[in-house]
């Protein structure tokens, strides 16, 4: 055991360590890049983030327009969304990390099939204006977003709270099918043999970030031919708003 305050003095004062952690959490900059910016070793940045990160996590996220209310768990977000009538935006953020040490159990679990890199995924929740409500539920990059819905208790929130509604991206088609009245997803990517109308509708309206408040709907049949490959699409995509 070592007395408090003993040992090597940190190269970064607390204010700098706090700034490093906040920049990393906000912009997802790699530790090596932050080390170059602050002219320290990468291990110093990693240690600073490791020390500071639990502090805001324990504090929780302030609910928009209600700073006295803190959201710390997934259950808090579900209760807040149901009570306030907030439509959630659910998304997974993928961040590149260093390759796990050789021989470590589960090393391959960090290899993302989508990005072909070693990553971790963080599930984030926000409201329709893009204001963050909760960011956590970290998992290795190989685990798919739909798997996380079942294993992290997200599906249980929709099941036990019928008033909770959310908009998701194409990676969450499973919950959209299981809870069609609560979860809205963009149109599924059409196959190669699909008509040009479906492909154009998917390109223009089927891709978007749920944290920016995109609203999706399905293509409507053309009034001229009655064919399901109509060119019209009833959708409204508001301009992104800054996070406050």
């Amino acid at each position: 055991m070592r007395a408090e305050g003993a040992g090597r003095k940190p190269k970064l004062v607390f204010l700098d360590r706090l700034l490093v952690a906040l920049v990393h959490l906000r912009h997802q900059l790699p530790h090596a890049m932050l080390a170059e910016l602050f002219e320290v070793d990468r291990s110093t940045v990693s240690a600073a983030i490791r020390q500071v990160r639990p502090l805001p996590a324990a504090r929780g996220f302030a609910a928009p327009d209600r700073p006295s209310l803190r959201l710390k768990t997934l259950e808090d977000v579900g209760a807040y969304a149901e009570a306030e009538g907030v439509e959630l935006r659910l998304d997974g953020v993928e961040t590149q990390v260093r390759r796990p040490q050789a021989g470590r159990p589960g090393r391959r679990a960090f290899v993302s099939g989508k990005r072909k890199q070693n990553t971790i995924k963080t599930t984030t929740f926000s409201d329709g204006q893009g204001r963050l409500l909760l960011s956590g539920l970290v998992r290795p990059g190989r685990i798919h977003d739909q798997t996380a819905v079942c294993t992290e208790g997200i599906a249980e929130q929709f099941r036990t709270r019928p008033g909770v509604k959310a908009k998701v991206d194409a990676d969450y088609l499973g919950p959209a099918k299981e809870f069609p009245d609560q979860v809205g997803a963009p149109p599924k990517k059409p196959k190669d043999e699909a008509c040009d109308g479906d492909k154009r509708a998917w390109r223009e309206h089927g891709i978007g970030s749920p944290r920016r408040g995109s609203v999706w709907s399905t293509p409507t049949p053309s009034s001229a031919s009655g064919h399901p490959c109509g060119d019209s699409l009833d959708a409204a995509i508001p301009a992104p708003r800054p996070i406050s």
Side-chain angles (χ1 to χ4, degrees):
M1 299 290 292
R2 186 172 59 191
E4 183 177 357
R8 181 188 299 178
K9 299 301 180 182
K11 295 181 180 179
L12 296 176
V13 297
F14 177 74
L15 183 60
D16 289 337
R17 281 180 283 166
L18 177 62
L19 182 59
V20 165
L22 293 179
V23 170
H24 170 71
L25 294 174
R26 180 70 174 183
H27 300 286
Q28 299 297 327
L29 293 181
H31 293 189
M33 182 179 294
L34 290 172
E36 290 292 334
L37 293 176
F38 284 84
E39 298 180 351
V40 294
D41 188 74
R42 187 203 55 79
S43 60
T44 301
V45 172
S46 300
I49 296 175
R50 190 166 53 249
Q51 294 169 3
V52 175
R53 188 165 188 168
L55 302 180
R59 176 69 172 162
F61 292 80
D65 304 324
R66 296 183 60 182
S68 60
L69 179 62
R70 313 295 299 190
L71 305 177
K72 300 181 180 180
T73 64
L74 183 59
E75 290 74 16
D76 293 343
V77 175
Y80 167 76
E82 187 176 38
E84 300 292 333
V86 176
E87 190 176 48
L88 300 175
R89 300 295 189 268
L90 175 61
D91 195 10
V93 180
E94 199 166 2
T95 307
Q96 183 180 0
V97 296
R98 297 185 66 193
R99 188 178 185 184
Q101 186 178 4
R104 172 180 175 178
R107 183 189 188 193
R108 295 186 60 187
F110 290 86
V111 181
S112 172
K114 181 179 180 180
R115 299 185 59 179
K116 310 301 182 183
Q117 296 173 339
N118 293 275
T119 65
I120 57 173
K121 292 182 179 179
T122 305
T123 305
T124 61
F125 299 83
S126 60
D127 61 7
Q129 300 183 32
R131 296 177 295 188
L132 197 61
L133 301 177
L134 183 68
S135 179
L137 311 179
V138 180
R139 62 190 186 277
R142 185 176 289 271
I143 300 179
H144 196 273
D145 291 341
Q146 296 197 49
T147 304
V149 170
C150 301
T151 59
E152 295 171 352
I154 299 174
E156 190 65 22
Q157 292 299 311
F158 293 115
R159 191 174 293 112
T160 58
R161 301 182 184 275
V164 176
K165 299 183 182 298
K167 287 288 178 65
V168 298
D169 61 11
D171 292 334
Y172 294 91
L173 293 179
K177 294 179 180 179
E178 185 178 357
F179 308 99
D181 297 331
Q182 297 176 257
V183 182
K188 190 176 180 179
K189 182 178 180 179
K191 298 181 179 179
D192 294 337
E193 59 270 17
C195 61
D196 294 338
D198 277 354
K199 292 181 180 179
R200 182 164 57 253
W202 178 82
R203 285 195 301 267
E204 294 177 354
H205 303 282
I207 304 175
S209 173
R211 289 169 292 169
R212 294 183 178 180
S214 300
V215 179
W216 301 286
S217 61
T218 55
T220 56
S222 173
S223 58
S225 62
H227 195 272
C229 296
D231 294 340
S232 60
L233 184 67
D234 295 331
I237 301 182
R241 301 181 181 179
I243 298 176
S244 57

